[in-house]
Amino acid sequence: GDPVMFRKRNRKRKLYARQWKRRRTRHHNKAKCLGGTLDRGNIFILTAEHHEAYHKLFGLRDFKQAAEVLLRLERMKKKSLR
């Protein structure tokens, strides 16, 4: 294909990827499938990039459970350094 057209298409894809990462999404602290509600106290606004990262790291855990996982990892790290 035409190299100029390829560069234009590639530039557009990169632009859309950047826009997607900055897009705002609603994150439910307690997942709807686990009984979470649409109350304001259960919803946080995150960028799509951060929302995806949260679920990759913590799955459906809420913030308290995610913090417990991180604290457990920290304790394990300290034990291994002794």
Side-chain angles (χ1 to χ4, degrees):
D2 180 17
V4 173
M5 290 303 292
F6 177 76
R7 281 196 301 264
K8 284 182 179 179
R9 255 191 318 228
N10 201 25
R11 202 175 306 134
K12 261 189 177 177
R13 283 188 190 134
K14 287 180 182 177
L15 174 66
Y16 291 140
R18 280 195 306 267
Q19 287 173 344
W20 182 85
K21 286 180 179 180
R22 288 192 302 250
R23 184 174 59 100
R24 302 288 185 237
T25 61
R26 292 185 314 170
H27 173 80
H28 294 80
N29 185 34
K30 183 175 183 181
K32 289 192 305 185
C33 65
L34 298 176
T37 64
L38 296 174
D39 294 341
R40 289 175 66 183
N42 190 45
I43 295 178
F44 298 88
I45 304 300
L46 298 174
T47 64
E49 187 175 25
H50 289 135
H51 197 162
E52 182 181 351
Y54 182 92
H55 284 293
K56 280 184 180 179
L57 288 169
F58 303 116
L60 293 176
R61 291 179 178 91
D62 63 26
F63 290 140
K64 184 178 177 186
Q65 293 167 332
E68 289 169 358
V69 168
L70 293 173
L71 290 171
R72 204 172 324 137
L73 284 171
E74 182 67 19
R75 285 193 298 270
M76 290 169 58
K77 181 180 170 185
K78 285 181 182 178
K79 281 183 181 180
S80 70
L81 294 176
R82 289 183 191 167

